[in-house]
Amino acid sequence: EALDARINADKTARSRLAASRAQLDISANLAGYAALTVDAAGVATRVDFEAGQVVSAGQPLLRVAYVGATEAQVRVGEAQARQVRPGMPVQVGLWSSPGKAYAGVVREVSPAADEHRTYLVKATIQQADEAVRLGMTASVVFAAAAGQAPPIALPAGALFQQGRQAAVWVVDARHQVSAVPVEVVQYRDDGLLVRGNLPAGTQVIAAGAHKLHAGQKIAPMPYDGPAPATSGGRA
């Protein structure tokens, strides 16, 4: 009986030792999670914790931008998402450097739309200089396909919905308005880019489009609002 008791005590001690070693391994792994590492050189662009804060496993703490190729990100509508492909050339302009354009190329097109039914497009800026800094606001103009007219920059107030079709009002020689269907190429903070049957010199209603109706006669007035910047044509 004494021998059996000793054997049982030995088994119990060995089990406790194995459990303690397993707990030690777990603790070592948890301690390793406290060291934040990245697989390439970069710059922390966002910090989501404070010193002394208790955080949970899997909680994002840092956002890191890798040093190297600089990208511009833009969201496009469903119609244009079908036409944008990786490798397509683009022109990127910075609001802080008007009149200057950088050549770029589409690197990635999101396969799924967000809650606004737009698709994220990432474009690599080629030969980016010191003027291109993280977090800047930029505009992206996609190269027109062969035989396709370049997009036209218009104020946001020029666009209205004709049923399910986006359209703008154009003014003829008799000062009457008629609707012209357009494709919205890109929504931007300073307006939008559209493509449609708008030859050079076409007069487009730039504001208050939702207040007009087909055939209405108006007294055209020059548009004195801010004009969107673009490298393409403008009506």
Side-chain angles (χ1 to χ4, degrees), residues 80 83-91 104-107 123 142-145:
Q80 191 178 17
Q83 303 172 6
V84 178
R85 296 289 184 272
M88 176 181 290
V90 299
Q91 281 193 334
V105 62
V106 175
R107 183 181 69 82
F142 298 91

Side-chain angles (χ1 to χ4, degrees), residues 157-208:
L159 190 71
F160 73 98
Q161 290 294 127
Q162 191 176 47
R164 300 185 63 180
Q165 172 66 53
V168 297
W169 295 110
V170 300
V171 184
D172 61 18
R174 297 176 296 174
H175 294 173
Q176 289 183 319
V177 298
S178 59
V180 173
V182 295
E183 173 196 350
V184 179
V185 175
Q186 181 182 345
Y187 290 96
R188 308 191 304 184
D189 290 342
D190 64 340
L192 44 88
L193 294 179
V194 302
R195 185 176 286 119
N197 184 21
L198 300 171
T202 300
Q203 289 187 321
V204 178
I205 299 298

Side-chain angles (χ1 to χ4, degrees), residues 36-74:
L36 303 179
T37 60
V38 294
D39 55 3
V43 178
T45 59
R46 180 172 174 178
V47 178
D48 292 327
F49 71 96
E50 298 179 357
Q53 178 181 348
V54 178
V55 297
S56 57
Q59 178 179 340
L61 300 179
L62 290 172
R63 178 175 296 178
V64 178
Y66 290 139
V67 174
T70 304
E71 288 186 343
Q73 297 185 2
V74 63

Side-chain angles (χ1 to χ4, degrees), residues 5-21:
R6 294 283 184 176
I7 293 174
N8 290 334
D10 179 68
K11 290 181 178 179
T12 301
R14 291 178 183 275
S15 297
R16 289 176 178 174
L17 176 61
S20 297
R21 285 176 173 171

